[in-house]
Amino acid sequence: MSCNWGTELWDQFDNLEKHTSWGIDFLERYTKFIKERADIEQSYAKQIRSLSKKYHPKRSREDESRYTWCLAFAATLRQLNELSTQREELAENLNSQIVCELSRYTQELKTERKTHFQDGRRAQQHIESSWKQLESSKRRFERDCKEAERAQHVSDRIDLDNKTEGEKARQTAQQKKQAAEESRKDYVTSLNQFNQDQHQHYHTLVPVIYQRIQDMEERRIERICEAMRSSAEAERKVLPVVSRCLDAMMASAEGIQPRMVSLLWVVEVFKSGFEPPGDVEFEDYSATMRRSISESSYLDNRAEGRKHSRKLWPFIRKNKGSSPADCSHLPPEQRRKKLQTRINNINQEIQREREQRDALLKMREVYEQSPQMGDAGSLEPRLEEVKQSLQKLEEELRRNQAWLMEADSRLSDHSSRRQSGGCGLNSQATTPDGSYTEDHSAELHFKSRSSEFDDDFDDEEPLPSIGTCKSLYPFQGQNEGTLSMVEGELLSVVEEDKGDGWTRVRRNLEEEGYVPTSYIKVFLDSSAKGAMTYI
């Protein structure tokens, strides 16, 4: 359908002016919409990036790099950060490709519209002026015709009575007639001119001007259409990356393996390598001899406790320094894993140092063959430094390998005893809560290793009592630094459990040592201290 505003809307100048003004207002409103949407995308990207940064680990933790759900969450945070980048890119494209272009085009459109309607108003003013001129000549012609007619009537009446007056009246009538004829000519001229102007106005000027306005309006609509397509295209452009990010999130979630984590990693992290507690042996207190032996053993233990009074258990140190280098403070399985990790790291460092040494040797050989390239002697200090570093690393490697062999041998001994089912004197002494004490050979080894710590505690002042405790089970302290006790005994508490399962207690202000926390009930309030009795 072909519609031309110049022919179809020739008399709708004012309505066209209102319509085009509303079209420009719509264009400005759409531009503002795109700008606000870009601001929302920018703000959304900023908030997503801030959220990702907030929940991203501040520093790498070993457990988070081990568990699959932690890795999946970290991957999700990285993908969210990538999503925020895509949203920022979308906001940038909306601002640069649409908002800026539409703002510039709106100003150009306003200028063009103003020009077209100014031309239309000038054409309208011209036709109105031509019409006014036609109306003026028409009224003058009408007036002159009426005056000529009256003058002719006057002349006709006077001619019959007086010749002199009649001549004068005839001359006046003749003048009026000539004036009417001139007015008629002017009216005809004005009429022809107006018809010509009107034809030109409605068939030439108005169609051309209105066609330009129509073209301007169609370009405005087309520009809005292009802006909408560009907006959709800008978002479609980031969809592949967004889709990949979502796919990566899905893959991370599907990579979580609950069974593997529970069976492998949790066991790997927390397995201690200790044997489960064995059966508790029956103690027959009805036999006088056994009771006497038990009492004598108890007295021997108390004498041993007095001999080594104020001696701490060597593996429960105060916070005087770092953990032992051989990791003996850890359970056997964890000690083995710690030493194995340390050995692997040392091997990597040794490999790097050897590669650096080989590179320096090749460089020295090149310098010796081509002295102009450099002084071979300048590399000697660095070679000596690398050599010393290698010696230290190899010595540390041998030391850690020896500790690892010791840990492996202990694990093998424990495993052999578990398979043989032996619960003799050399096996571990188990407790109702699963605590353990080492065998006699291990005790001798611990005592020899703890000798270096004895001097640190000989001159210590006794610690004040912070409460009391009541023993729930009998305990035979076999390791140095532990204190034997019988069931129902009241003791003073001088140091709480630090998380290692042992509590420091005192008997009669003379005997002091560590007992298993699970074997006692602790009272730290002041009333309990007042009710305490010493044995």
Side-chain angles (χ1 to χ4, degrees):
M1 181 178 178
S2 176
C3 293
N4 190 304
W5 287 11
T7 57
E8 304 291 337
L9 303 176
W10 59 271
D11 58 344
Q12 299 298 319
F13 182 83
D14 293 338
N15 287 331
L16 289 179
E17 188 174 17
K18 293 178 182 178
H19 175 75
T20 53
S21 176
W22 174 81
I24 292 179
D25 291 341
F26 178 84
L27 180 61
E28 290 179 332
R29 190 156 59 96
Y30 181 75
T31 304
K32 185 178 179 182
F33 161 75
I34 294 297
K35 185 178 185 304
E36 290 184 0
R37 184 190 172 187
D39 293 341
I40 290 174
E41 293 287 352
Q42 187 72 30
S43 176
Y44 173 72
K46 182 178 180 181
Q47 292 178 16
I48 287 294
R49 176 173 283 108
S50 177
L51 180 68
S52 175
K53 183 178 180 181
K54 176 182 177 181
Y55 284 93
H56 200 276
K58 301 299 181 183
R59 53 184 178 273
S60 178
R61 293 179 55 184
E62 184 178 356
D63 53 353
E64 291 192 358
S65 64
R66 179 184 296 113
Y67 298 117
T68 54
W69 73 82
C70 294
L71 296 175
F73 182 58
T76 300
L77 293 178
R78 289 194 297 271
Q79 297 305 321
L80 277 180
N81 191 67
E82 180 62 24
L83 283 178
S84 67
T85 302
Q86 297 305 312
R87 289 298 168 184
E88 286 178 341
E89 182 178 347
L90 174 59
E92 179 64 24
N93 291 336
L94 291 177
N95 277 320
S96 62
Q97 298 179 8
I98 300 178
V99 175
C100 295
E101 289 296 323
L102 287 183
S103 299
R104 179 185 59 80
Y105 176 71
T106 301
Q107 297 302 320
E108 295 176 355
L109 189 63
K110 287 182 178 180
T111 303
E112 182 182 0
R113 175 181 175 276
K114 181 178 180 181
T115 302
H116 293 330
F117 280 97
Q118 283 178 349
D119 294 341
R121 289 190 184 91
R122 280 195 294 268
Q124 190 71 23
Q125 290 172 0
H126 177 73
I127 194 66
E128 289 176 357
S129 176
S130 180
W131 171 257
K132 289 178 181 180
Q133 186 177 357
L134 174 62
E135 287 292 319
S136 177
S137 61
K138 179 182 177 181
R139 286 193 298 271
R140 187 169 59 253
F141 173 60
E142 181 182 7
R143 185 185 67 244
D144 290 345
C145 286
K146 289 180 180 180
E147 290 179 355
E149 185 178 357
R150 285 195 299 270
Q152 185 63 39
H153 286 302
V154 171
S155 174
D156 291 342
R157 287 196 304 272
I158 294 177
D159 186 35
L160 298 174
D161 300 332
N162 190 342
K163 293 182 178 181
T164 305
E165 289 295 331
E167 185 65 26
K168 184 177 180 181
R170 282 194 300 272
Q171 291 179 356
T172 300
Q174 186 66 29
Q175 291 176 354
K176 292 295 183 180
K177 186 178 180 180
Q178 290 178 355
E181 183 65 23
E182 291 295 331
S183 296
R184 188 186 70 82
K185 292 180 180 179
D186 290 341
Y187 173 61
V188 171
T189 302
S190 297
L191 180 61
N192 292 333
Q193 183 65 41
F194 174 76
N195 288 334
Q196 182 181 356
D197 291 344
Q198 182 175 251
H199 185 275
Q200 183 180 11
H201 177 79
Y202 289 111
H203 293 84
T204 303
L205 295 179
V206 169
V208 171
I209 295 173
Y210 283 19
Q211 185 62 43
R212 292 174 181 172
I213 296 174
Q214 182 180 1
D215 294 341
M216 176 194 72
E217 183 68 7
E218 291 176 356
R219 289 197 306 273
R220 179 191 68 83
I221 298 173
E222 180 63 27
R223 185 58 66 92
I224 292 177
C225 177
E226 292 178 358
M228 291 182 177
R229 284 198 299 264
S230 298
S231 175
E233 187 63 30
E235 186 153 7
R236 178 182 292 176
K237 183 179 179 181
V238 302
L239 283 182
V241 181
V242 173
S243 179
R244 287 197 296 270
C245 292
L246 296 177
D247 290 342
M249 292 182 186
M250 290 292 294
S252 299
E254 292 173 357
I256 298 176
Q257 301 177 5
R259 190 67 177 173
M260 185 190 74
V261 171
S262 63
L263 291 180
L264 180 61
W265 290 118
V266 176
V267 173
E268 181 73 17
V269 171
F270 297 112
K271 181 179 179 181
S272 65
F274 296 138
E275 296 180 20
D279 295 337
V280 179
E281 295 182 358
F282 175 75
E283 297 183 24
D284 189 2
Y285 290 99
S286 61
T288 305
M289 184 175 296
R290 289 187 180 182
R291 185 167 59 250
S292 300
I293 294 175
S294 176
E295 290 174 356
S296 62
S297 300
Y298 171 66
L299 293 175
D300 292 341
N301 286 332
R302 291 192 61 179
E304 183 70 14
R306 291 191 186 95
K307 179 180 180 181
H308 297 286
S309 62
R310 296 170 59 189
K311 298 288 185 179
L312 296 180
W313 193 41
F315 298 104
I316 307 180
R317 301 191 199 175
K318 294 182 180 180
N319 296 326
K320 285 189 174 184
S322 59
S323 303
D326 61 353
C327 301
S328 56
H329 63 293
L330 297 175
E333 184 69 23
Q334 299 302 316
R335 180 191 182 194
R336 184 188 65 80
K337 294 174 184 176
K338 186 74 172 179
L339 291 173
Q340 186 62 56
T341 302
R342 188 185 296 174
I343 289 173
N344 294 338
N345 294 336
I346 294 175
N347 283 327
Q348 293 177 0
E349 293 182 12
I350 290 176
Q351 182 63 26
R352 286 195 293 268
E353 292 293 334
R354 287 175 177 174
E355 291 175 355
Q356 188 174 4
R357 180 196 61 186
D358 295 342
L360 290 172
L361 291 175
K362 290 181 180 179
M363 188 179 299
R364 185 178 67 177
E365 183 179 355
V366 171
Y367 287 174
E368 290 175 350
Q369 296 176 357
S370 304
Q372 68 275 8
M373 296 184 65
D375 183 13
S378 63
L379 300 177
E380 292 299 330
R382 180 56 184 158
L383 279 170
E384 183 63 26
E385 181 181 348
V386 172
K387 180 180 178 181
Q388 293 179 0
S389 178
L390 274 173
Q391 291 177 351
K392 292 180 180 179
L393 289 172
E394 290 171 351
E395 181 180 354
E396 185 177 357
L397 177 63
R398 288 191 295 270
R399 185 165 59 251
N400 281 274
Q401 287 174 340
W403 291 336
L404 179 61
M405 292 178 61
E406 176 188 347
D408 289 338
S409 64
R410 289 192 178 185
L411 285 175
S412 300
D413 293 342
H414 292 326
S415 177
S416 299
R417 285 197 298 271
R418 185 190 306 178
Q419 293 175 1
S420 62
C423 298
L425 295 176
N426 292 332
S427 61
Q428 289 182 332
T430 57
T431 62
D433 66 333
S435 304
Y436 75 96
T437 55
E438 291 288 347
D439 55 22
H440 296 295
S441 60
E443 181 178 359
L444 295 175
H445 175 72
F446 293 158
K447 289 180 179 180
S448 64
R449 291 187 57 235
S450 63
S451 60
E452 57 180 298
F453 300 107
D454 290 345
D455 296 337
D456 293 341
F457 305 107
D458 285 342
D459 299 330
E460 287 185 358
E461 292 295 329
L463 294 175
S465 174
I466 61 174
T468 60
C469 68
K470 180 179 179 181
S471 61
L472 303 176
Y473 312 99
F475 173 70
Q476 298 294 330
Q478 297 180 358
N479 290 339
E480 186 174 0
T482 60
L483 183 66
S484 299
M485 61 183 181
V486 297
E487 182 179 354
E489 184 176 3
L490 293 177
L491 302 170
S492 298
V493 177
V494 296
E495 185 177 347
E496 293 184 77
D497 188 349
K498 300 300 183 181
D500 50 18
W502 295 85
T503 301
R504 187 175 179 183
V505 299
R506 181 186 301 139
R507 178 192 293 120
N508 294 336
L509 298 177
E510 295 180 358
E511 299 177 75
E512 188 175 302
Y514 284 88
V515 297
T517 305
S518 59
Y519 275 47
I520 60 175
K521 185 174 183 180
V522 180
F523 306 93
L524 296 180
D525 54 323
S526 58
S527 60
K529 293 181 183 179
M532 173 187 166
T533 59
Y534 294 98
I535 297 176

